[in-house]
Amino acid sequence: MFTTSLPCRASIACLMLSACVAGDTAIDSRLDELELGPPLHGVYRWDAPQGPDNVDAFARWSGGTVELASAYAPNHSWQELHELGWQMPAWASWVNEQPGRRLVYALPMLIEPGDTLAKCAQGAYDKHFAAVGASLVDAGLGSAIVRIGWEWDGDWFAWSSRGHESEYAGCFRSAVRAMRNVRPSGALQFEWSASDDIFMRTPEQLAATYPGDGYVDVFGVNAYDVSWVPNSYPLPAGCDTSCQRTRRETAWNDLMRGVLVMRELAAQKGKPIAIPEWGLWHREDGHGGGDNADYVARMHAFVNDPSNRVLYQVYFDVDYLDGAHQISSAQTRFPNAAAKYRELFGGD
């Protein structure tokens, strides 16, 4: 997750992306087998072993069906990725308990000191990616959606693509090949997953970072309720209902810039998009939208609009180091927005 923030760039970007990667189908992928129905509903409620129970608790709270659980791979050492027995069985039990459930799994590209995207692109870490692929498929999680090197457009992770665009793309391809080749019987899907800052990348940078049609099944982009543009957040003292509505609409248009860029890129390729992380945000500096029911309503409308081709959305339902996001807690900072979520996303 983390930061936010031109539509005019989007069409140019997708045209350049198409021109630069046309014909890249180096491996046999399952790109066209995703049949889009209503978007799948998901949540992040911490990782295993408690995560599955937390996801079920969220479903009971919301009154709706939760088809997706989001999880993050450990990132302290490569050895941890070879020892996923403590994590995979818990998620496999949850996924296989009911038909239609899937896991969304965020997988780091670089973990230990000295790791580089260039080495990754040359296959230096293929054995580690293969181990993860085997663990997923062997545990019964072969339908998982894997977010390799998520939020690549930012500068806060070791695998940042900034200044290393082609190396990032090569690393992504190498990881996908390793994971698919180790268990060809699996049906893993792979997500090119950006932050909502992606609108700041130039068309050339986007084209250079794209791994290619044969390696990307889903285009993902975050969409948190946070903004720094003028006349958005923080809400000033004495801001009445009309003032709040105007400022929150400005913030929405800001945070959606990245989403619209990714939607255009995905549409150019005939692929679905995902909102793998979205959430309300209370921040001490005031740049989060707070108890914003309008944001929840707007997100519901966007993901359920068939023209946007949204495969799934995941609400980030935890209070994290960067601020509060959780809506399912009895002590939530977002009572109005929580009620709106239950009204729109629950009750099925």
Side-chain angles (χ1 to χ4, degrees):
M1 56 178 305
F2 303 108
T3 73
T4 98
S5 281
L6 285 150
C8 62
R9 283 187 178 177
S11 296
I12 299 173
C14 67
L15 288 173
M16 293 207 50
L17 185 66
S18 177
C20 291
V21 300
D24 186 354
T25 54
I27 58 177
D28 177 22
S29 74
R30 306 164 181 85
L31 297 173
D32 298 321
E33 294 184 8
L34 288 173
E35 295 183 4
L36 293 183
L40 301 174
H41 292 183
V43 66
Y44 175 66
R45 285 288 285 118
W46 301 118
D47 296 302
Q50 296 87 2
D53 288 340
N54 291 343
V55 171
D56 286 340
F58 181 88
R60 290 191 296 272
W61 168 84
S62 71
T65 299
V66 175
E67 299 103 335
L68 293 178
S70 177
Y72 294 78
N75 62 354
H76 298 100
S77 72
W78 287 115
Q79 186 59 34
E80 277 190 303
L81 294 184
H82 292 260
E83 300 171 348
L84 291 172
W86 59 272
Q87 190 181 52
M88 295 304 183
W91 287 122
S93 177
W94 182 86
V95 166
N96 293 301
E97 189 175 90
Q98 293 183 18
R101 285 182 171 180
R102 299 178 75 178
L103 179 70
V104 177
Y105 199 59
L107 179 64
M109 277 181 163
L110 310 177
I111 294 182
E112 298 180 353
D115 291 347
T116 69
L117 288 172
K119 292 178 183 177
C120 177
Q122 295 166 2
Y125 315 128
D126 281 4
K127 65 180 180 181
H128 307 305
F129 297 127
V132 175
S135 294
L136 286 165
V137 175
D138 292 350
L141 295 166
S143 65
I145 300 168
V146 185
R147 301 170 64 206
I148 302 175
W150 71 100
E151 296 178 6
W152 47 265
D153 55 306
D155 60 2
W156 44 86
F157 286 131
W159 54 85
S160 169
S161 70
R162 296 187 182 186
H164 303 278
E165 288 81 7
S166 63
E167 291 150 336
Y168 176 93
C171 179
F172 193 105
R173 289 192 291 268
S174 190
V176 170
R177 281 194 296 265
M179 295 181 75
R180 283 184 170 152
N181 290 344
V182 72
R183 290 292 185 272
S185 61
L188 298 173
Q189 302 287 335
F190 295 93
E191 180 178 317
W192 191 49
S193 195
S195 81
D196 35 13
D197 280 342
I198 187 177
F199 76 94
M200 294 192 288
R201 301 296 91 199
T202 67
E204 294 83 2
Q205 290 166 335
L206 291 173
T209 312
Y210 183 59
D213 290 354
Y215 303 87
V216 175
D217 299 294
V218 186
F219 285 56
V221 59
N222 299 347
Y224 288 95
D225 186 22
V226 61
S227 181
W228 281 263
V229 299
N231 301 312
S232 62
Y233 305 140
L235 300 177
C239 188
D240 61 16
T241 302
S242 177
C243 164
Q244 292 180 27
R245 184 181 302 111
T246 298
R247 284 177 170 268
R248 283 172 167 162
E249 182 175 6
T250 298
W252 172 262
N253 291 335
D254 174 34
L255 72 91
M256 286 298 288
R257 288 190 288 177
V259 176
L260 295 180
V261 167
M262 193 59 99
R263 184 187 67 179
E264 291 298 320
L265 295 176
Q268 183 73 14
K269 294 299 181 179
K271 300 185 188 294
I273 68 167
I275 311 294
E277 297 180 23
W278 70 277
L280 299 144
W281 202 329
H282 171 83
R283 296 173 55 97
E284 293 302 321
D285 63 10
H287 284 282
D291 191 9
N292 186 358
D294 288 344
Y295 163 76
V296 175
R298 289 175 184 272
M299 187 61 67
H300 181 268
F302 181 86
V303 300
N304 284 283
D305 182 344
S307 68
N308 292 325
R309 290 179 55 81
V310 178
L311 175 65
Y312 77 85
Q313 56 82 17
V314 167
Y315 187 85
F316 194 81
D317 190 53
V318 301
D319 291 339
Y320 201 62
L321 299 176
D322 58 356
H325 309 281
Q326 188 173 10
I327 55 176
S328 65
S329 167
Q331 293 78 39
T332 183
R333 292 178 177 268
F334 317 107
N336 294 316
K340 181 60 69 173
Y341 184 98
R342 295 179 72 181
E343 173 193 337
L344 296 178
F345 288 96
D348 49 38

